[in-house]
Amino acid sequence: MHESAHELRRLFVEFFRARGHREVPSSPLIPVGDATLLFTTAGMVQFKPLYGAANPEFTRAVSVQKCLRATDIDQIGHTIRHHTFLEMLGNFSFGDYFKTEAINWAWEFVRTVVQLDRDRIWVSVHDSDDEAARLWETETDLLPGRVVRLGDKDNFWGPAGSTGACGPSSELYWDLGAAADPGGREGALGESDRYLEFWNLVFPQFNQDADGRRMPLARPGIDTGMGLERLALIVQGAPSTYETDLLRPLVDDVLEFASLAAMPDDERRVAVRIVADHVRALAFAIAAGVVPGNEGRGYVIRRVLRRAARRGRELGAPSPFLYRIAETVIRHYGATYPELEGMKEAILRITQFEEERFARTLDAGMERFQAIVAECQACGATELPGADVFQLHDAYGFPVDLTAEMASEQGLTIDRPGFETAMTEQRQRARRAHRFHEVAAEGAGEPWVELSDGPDSEFRGYETLTLEATVRRYRETTAGIEVVLDETPFYAESGGQVGDQGALEGEGFQIQVTDTVTAVSDHDGAPAKSHVHRGRFLSGGPADLARSRVVARVDPELRAATMRNHTATHLLHAALRSVLGTHVQQAGSLVAPHRLRFDFTHFAAVTPGERTAIEELVNREILKNTPVDVRTQSYDEARSRGAIALFGEKYGREVRTIGIPGFSLELCGGTHCRGTGDIGLFKIVAESAVGAGMRRLEAVTGLGALALTMELEGRLDELGQILGVPRGQVADRIRAVLKENAELKLKAKGAAGGGVEKQVEEALARAENTDGHRFVVARIEVDSVDLLRRAGDHLRDHLRSGAGVLAAVMGGKVSFLAVATDDVIASGVRADELVREVAAVAGGSGGGKPHQAMGSGGKAVELIDSALDRGRAILRERLGVGAKP
Ligand code: ATP
Ligand code: MG
């Protein structure tokens, strides 16, 4: 048998489907609604709730699950069998069949479907599990003496995450032959590299609760996992998983990029494997919505990328190049996992961007690292000091594990506790700064004064804006007063929506509420969330609070404005996904009465065209005046209706969804309009970058949008008045004035100008220096193309190393000329490309040779400065610090 991996997936699923298993698609790489896990690590993760459930919807399942195991990262490349990303084949029983069927079917699959050689199969069972041992010996024709009993370490399975099903297991091993571990003992399963574990049959018999207690499950189940890569290794007779048809194309691709630089073979092999494995994991993780970052999933992914980038550099591959391997991953896996195709652009751009960013700090960091190592070695130390490791982390972006790895390659260790201390100190410094800010803003508080007993802060603000309430407690702060009520219509800041403002009134007092926030209180011993109304007395004082009930009144106009912005935020989110692509993920938002702000993952600036499309789409939905559908239901129900949830957010069992039928469905606790028409008008006011692969849009709605248009009109009228023309002619008039101005400047300069050579030398004197190159961007006065060429020759002769752009106006037309010296051409800066980009700014075009090229901008004399600015920006970037040498 020599089945392809694709065929193996199919054979496995078919085998178990024929035995009554429901085929369940892989769940996302990021577990849904399970905050205990960063990534899906096994097939059973999505089925956790079904173990021990009274009435599961189905009791047998088969799946091919995408998994990511960050904990195995250090093994990658050094073993023949580990990957960060892997596909796990699994069959599952939820209170249905148990050990007998699991063992029989596993045996049948390996012996008759993929026809593995019986002589090479070994099996382990837990040392307490006589039942499993007996089943292998009596139900199958496994060779005698092939069942090995092992302890808890190898054959007892704790729950995935910290709670859930667990129990003993039985593993199938493949004998790779004595040569795989010459000194190894026969039958040393789980110990010797001679025996490759490929299928783990887990028998969940217990449930572990949050305190670590194990209770027997009334209905035990089955949970198996077989790595597709390992099965392919065995079936295809490959020396390692990297030679299977799953990874071979990636490995070959990496080798294409590697130079033949002298490097021991085994090191080269490790490096190539790491790159191939890591880029595959990266592509799948980005497709699942993870963006490299400093915490949690983002950190894992950043570390994976940086490890791969560093190995790429060792291999002498050009930088950046990982994104090109990612392209191969997408091509190779796209048919099986269409999400890769769907997220192609995000995968490539994010990978390239991160890689370039890392390359810029890597050189500086490596130098520092080597200096630290040299210092250590000089004084005979074997451990890198924690403070230095922290500096590499903090200033050079070296993940601590990367530093540890590089240190161990030099035979050194790192002072991890010292690093942690430095890290904690920095965090405390940041927190102290934060706390100070809070104290300064809000003032220190007196102790709380309790006025009445019972539950507090029952939120009624979805239905009403005014109600009569009882004060539970209050406290005075230097900023004013804070009050907690038994029930309240005031929304407390959360989920991006700001807290309500309004008034609390009673006999003899009036409080203006300027903000409402949540505070975790431990009233009656149980933690609960309280709505704290912050404000100040307009009349009366704290003593009056005890006298009567209070009327709590939310400012209706501000609240209505906030609701418009919140519903508009949902419309915007859906519009972004529709216009820019489904890679758009919400990264943060602010919903206030006067504006809304939305941060999201996207790898490029939103173009004016896209911006218009987004505004149009949102406003169309507003005009439809669709009723907003607010519901409360179970989390699973909401997910199955397709609600957008935020990664990493935890939800209780019951969730609230906000639906705009046919357009948007989100989990959200905020306050919303009754119909989209209430929003009135939606206008984007700003677009900007807020980090790697992250953009921000700001927008206004309702009266805010009206105010914006009125302000814009006012400005237009003012311009018309200054220029003495009606509104409609403002642009033409400005163009004419600018042109006139440009011509006048030119004349003035021409009168003072000298010979061509002199002008070039003056420009050279003002050349910018970057990284040993010089570049010149200047406007000169010449009256013929020949003279412009002569200027170009002179410039190129005197630049030594660098590039330049010259512009001149001749007969009312703009001409550009660009030059580049041979060494910068070799690193990719070409005069013809340069001149084309510069001329394009003035609406023209150009071309020529890599070392010298000409372009024309037509009559757009007024754009000459913008065109030169563009030239300057390009040269700064391409020749600048951090650019490729
Ligand atoms: P190992 O000891 O080899 O790391 P494991 O005990 O961690 O394996 P399980 O957690 O039992 O493996 O996972 C079930 C199956 O998934 C394994 O039998 C193997 O086929 C596969 N598998 C586990 N980890 C990896 C990995 N990092 N890369 C590829 N396949 C894996
Ligand atoms: Mg493992």
Side-chain angles (χ1 to χ4, degrees):
M1 277 242 157
H2 197 95
E3 307 291 358
S4 69
H6 188 70
E7 186 62 8
L8 293 174
R9 286 190 197 104
R10 195 189 63 78
L11 287 171
F12 188 83
V13 170
E14 283 311 314
F15 180 82
F16 285 101
R17 268 166 51 100
R19 283 153 188 81
H21 291 62
R22 173 186 293 203
E23 181 182 357
V24 178
S26 173
S27 63
L29 204 49
I30 297 180
V32 176
D34 187 339
T36 60
L37 276 173
L38 281 185
F39 294 99
T40 301
T41 50
M44 66 85 71
V45 169
Q46 68 168 323
F47 300 121
K48 268 168 75 171
L50 296 182
Y51 287 97
N55 279 310
E57 193 189 333
F58 47 92
T59 58
R60 296 180 181 191
V62 56
S63 70
V64 181
Q65 176 67 48
K66 291 174 282 189
C67 301
L68 204 141
R69 293 195 165 187
T71 44
D72 283 346
I73 201 167
D74 294 320
Q75 317 251 49
I76 311 303
H78 301 284
T79 72
I80 61 162
R81 66 181 201 277
H82 285 102
H83 295 288
T84 30
F85 170 86
L86 63 126
E87 288 173 84
M88 200 181 284
L89 308 169
N91 56 292
F92 308 88
S93 150
F94 317 111
D96 188 328
Y97 62 86
F98 200 42
K99 294 181 190 175
T100 312
E101 292 85 345
I103 288 173
N104 271 309
W105 286 336
W107 189 247
E108 191 183 343
F109 182 79
V110 299
R111 290 287 296 135
T112 57
V113 180
V114 290
Q115 298 176 11
L116 300 191
D117 180 356
R118 184 169 63 139
D119 294 350
R120 298 179 66 177
I121 301 176
W122 288 69
V123 160
S124 72
V125 299
H126 189 245
D127 48 20
S128 70
D129 199 350
D130 296 333
E131 187 187 5
R134 183 182 50 76
L135 288 168
W136 281 113
E137 281 154 6
T138 58
E139 299 269 326
T140 75
D141 61 350
L142 176 73
L143 292 179
R146 289 292 176 89
V147 177
V148 177
R149 289 174 184 252
L150 298 174
D152 278 1
K153 185 173 81 61
D154 289 287
N155 282 65
F156 193 91
W157 281 80
S162 53
T163 60
C166 54
S169 79
S170 176
E171 299 172 327
L172 283 81
Y173 287 80
W174 181 248
D175 183 357
L176 294 166
D181 181 16
R185 182 171 55 80
E186 169 151 293
L189 307 186
E191 226 173 75
S192 165
D193 280 341
R194 171 172 172 179
Y195 302 99
L196 170 78
E197 178 204 320
F198 65 97
W199 198 351
N200 191 358
L201 316 180
V202 181
F203 311 127
Q205 284 170 268
F206 309 103
N207 184 55
Q208 178 165 315
D209 65 18
D211 297 328
R213 277 186 306 245
R214 284 179 192 151
M215 305 297 283
L217 284 176
R219 278 173 289 253
I222 290 295
D223 151 27
T224 88
M226 169 156 61
L228 176 65
E229 290 80 359
R230 293 190 190 175
L231 179 64
L233 175 162
I234 298 170
V235 171
Q236 297 171 8
S240 88
T241 50
Y242 294 92
E243 280 82 18
T244 64
D245 64 338
L246 285 166
L247 284 122
R248 182 84 249 176
L250 309 185
V251 167
D252 286 347
D253 203 25
V254 177
L255 281 168
E256 293 257 313
F257 284 98
S259 74
L260 295 173
M263 186 176 184
D265 274 355
D266 49 347
E267 272 179 37
R268 184 194 312 278
R269 190 169 54 231
V270 169
V272 168
R273 287 176 173 182
I274 287 180
V275 175
D277 171 89
H278 284 18
V279 176
R280 186 173 69 143
L282 263 174
F284 276 93
I286 296 173
V290 186
V291 181
N294 287 329
E295 285 174 273
R297 300 179 177 116
Y299 174 76
V300 173
I301 292 315
R302 175 162 285 168
R303 187 176 161 219
V304 165
L305 183 135
R306 293 187 168 187
R307 279 170 50 106
R310 194 170 69 85
R311 294 302 185 158
R313 176 172 284 230
E314 276 174 21
L315 287 166
S319 168
F321 88 114
L322 298 180
Y323 75 101
R324 295 166 74 173
I325 310 293
E327 213 167 350
T328 309
V329 174
I330 298 168
R331 207 178 323 113
H332 185 50
Y333 276 91
T336 313
Y337 295 104
E339 71 266 31
L340 291 173
E341 288 288 351
M343 292 286 279
K344 179 169 179 177
E345 199 161 358
I347 295 169
L348 301 186
R349 299 257 199 142
I350 291 174
T351 306
Q352 184 182 358
F353 184 93
E354 268 287 306
E355 201 182 352
E356 280 170 351
R357 186 165 133 145
F358 183 47
R360 280 198 288 274
T361 51
L362 191 63
D363 286 322
M366 284 305 258
E367 229 166 75
R368 180 75 196 109
F369 172 77
Q370 263 139 21
I372 297 168
V373 168
E375 273 166 42
C376 274
Q377 284 164 342
C379 57
T382 59
E383 190 180 70
L384 303 190
D388 290 330
V389 176
F390 177 72
Q391 187 201 29
L392 284 170
H393 163 89
D394 198 40
Y396 300 97
F398 279 35
V400 56
D401 302 292
L402 185 62
T403 306
E405 232 175 275
M406 298 192 318
S408 90
E409 283 161 19
Q410 310 276 336
L412 300 169
T413 57
I414 63 165
D415 172 14
R416 241 176 226 273
F419 167 78
E420 297 293 344
T421 310
M423 205 54 185
T424 316
E425 276 168 14
Q426 193 207 37
R427 258 191 227 124
Q428 275 165 354
R429 273 195 304 276
R431 210 173 299 143
R432 264 202 298 278
H434 183 69
R435 212 182 302 145
F436 174 74
H437 171 78
E438 239 181 42
V439 169
E442 303 301 339
E446 296 285 320
W448 287 94
V449 179
E450 306 282 340
L451 288 188
S452 64
D453 221 16
D456 66 62
S457 303
E458 158 111 22
F459 181 59
R460 302 274 311 280
Y462 293 139
E463 318 97 69
T464 180
L465 294 184
T466 307
L467 55 76
E468 223 185 87
T470 301
V471 176
R472 285 284 183 245
R473 57 188 176 278
Y474 71 87
R475 68 168 183 168
E476 289 178 83
T477 66
T478 52
I481 184 87
E482 294 185 349
V483 182
V484 173
L485 305 173
D486 61 340
E487 48 178 21
T488 179
F490 282 76
Y491 184 85
E493 178 195 346
S494 80
Q497 181 177 331
V498 300
D500 276 331
Q501 303 182 33
L504 302 179
E505 290 155 1
E507 228 180 283
F509 71 90
Q510 195 186 14
I511 296 170
Q512 181 192 9
V513 177
T514 51
D515 196 7
T516 311
V517 297
T518 48
V520 176
S521 54
D522 53 3
H523 199 66
D524 275 351
K529 268 198 184 156
S530 293
H531 290 221
V532 178
H533 307 81
R534 284 186 173 155
R536 58 196 182 87
F537 280 96
L538 297 180
S539 63
D544 299 314
L545 283 174
R547 287 226 307 261
S548 72
R549 302 252 293 164
V550 302
V551 176
R553 211 186 304 277
V554 174
D555 183 315
E557 293 214 359
L558 291 179
R559 165 64 94 74
T562 302
M563 302 206 305
R564 284 194 285 268
N565 281 338
H566 205 156
T567 308
T569 302
H570 287 207
L571 291 178
L572 173 62
H573 189 185
L576 283 170
R577 289 170 70 93
S578 139
V579 173
L580 302 180
T582 48
H583 61 275
V584 167
Q585 305 278 353
Q586 174 168 359
S589 74
L590 172 76
V591 179
H594 304 295
R595 70 201 170 104
L596 68 91
R597 194 175 76 201
F598 192 77
D599 296 346
F600 57 100
T601 52
H602 186 52
F603 33 77
V606 178
T607 65
E610 288 165 342
R611 185 167 154 166
T612 310
I614 292 161
E615 277 186 343
E616 234 178 69
L617 192 52
V618 171
N619 282 299
R620 267 177 208 287
E621 281 303 312
I622 292 172
L623 290 180
K624 281 188 194 159
N625 196 15
T626 316
V628 175
D629 178 27
V630 183
R631 284 193 218 182
T632 307
Q633 72 258 272
S634 75
Y635 183 88
D636 291 338
E637 208 178 316
R639 284 290 307 181
S640 70
R641 286 172 58 215
I644 298 180
L646 298 186
F647 291 135
E649 221 164 270
K650 279 184 244 172
Y651 294 100
R653 298 180 68 80
E654 287 280 292
V655 295
R656 185 164 176 269
T657 54
I658 305 298
I660 294 149
F663 198 68
S664 150
L665 183 65
E666 294 195 33
L667 303 190
C668 178
T671 61
H672 285 269
C673 299
R674 268 194 262 167
T676 56
D678 294 355
I679 297 168
L681 175 65
F682 169 87
K683 280 295 292 174
I684 295 173
V685 290
E687 196 269 350
S688 57
V690 278
M694 198 90 82
R695 310 296 303 183
R696 166 172 295 175
L697 280 179
E698 288 166 76
V700 290
T701 65
L703 293 174
L706 181 64
L708 175 76
T709 34
M710 292 198 302
E711 189 198 321
L712 290 177
E713 292 213 312
R715 270 196 234 160
L716 204 54
D717 283 340
E718 190 185 345
L719 284 177
Q721 270 166 19
I722 295 172
L723 295 166
V725 294
R727 272 191 197 179
Q729 290 169 27
V730 164
D732 284 343
R733 184 79 195 104
I734 291 180
R735 243 178 248 125
V737 168
L738 285 176
K739 187 161 182 174
E740 202 178 317
N741 184 36
E743 278 165 9
L744 285 174
K745 261 197 209 157
L746 211 146
K747 271 200 197 123
K749 214 172 178 191
V756 170
E757 280 80 9
K758 194 164 151 246
Q759 291 189 56
V760 169
E761 272 144 34
E762 275 171 20
L764 271 165
R766 294 192 307 270
E768 289 195 40
N769 280 300
T770 49
D771 258 16
H773 307 298
R774 294 198 300 167
F775 70 83
V776 166
V777 174
R779 173 159 170 188
I780 58 169
E781 312 314 330
V782 290
D783 51 16
S784 74
V785 171
D786 274 348
L787 277 182
L788 183 57
R789 279 218 186 88
R790 214 169 89 197
D793 290 341
H794 194 69
L795 177 59
R796 195 168 183 274
D797 288 348
H798 289 79
L799 260 179
R800 285 191 300 277
S801 164
V805 182
L806 300 177
V809 178
M810 293 175 277
K813 286 190 184 166
V814 197
S815 293
F816 298 100
L817 176 138
V819 297
T821 59
D822 293 337
D823 56 335
V824 302
I825 295 173
S827 66
V829 178
R830 297 168 50 120
D832 48 346
E833 285 175 11
L834 190 57
V835 86
R836 214 170 288 131
E837 288 194 54
V838 171
V841 176
S845 60
K849 301 263 168 54
H851 71 279
Q852 185 168 97
M854 297 266 291
S856 142
K859 292 196 169 137
V861 176
E862 71 280 5
L863 292 174
I864 200 165
D865 287 332
S866 319
L868 288 178
D869 283 347
R870 175 84 187 114
R872 196 171 292 114
I874 294 172
L875 289 171
R876 264 190 203 139
E877 185 192 309
R878 306 239 175 108
L879 297 179
V881 180
K884 280 185 293 183

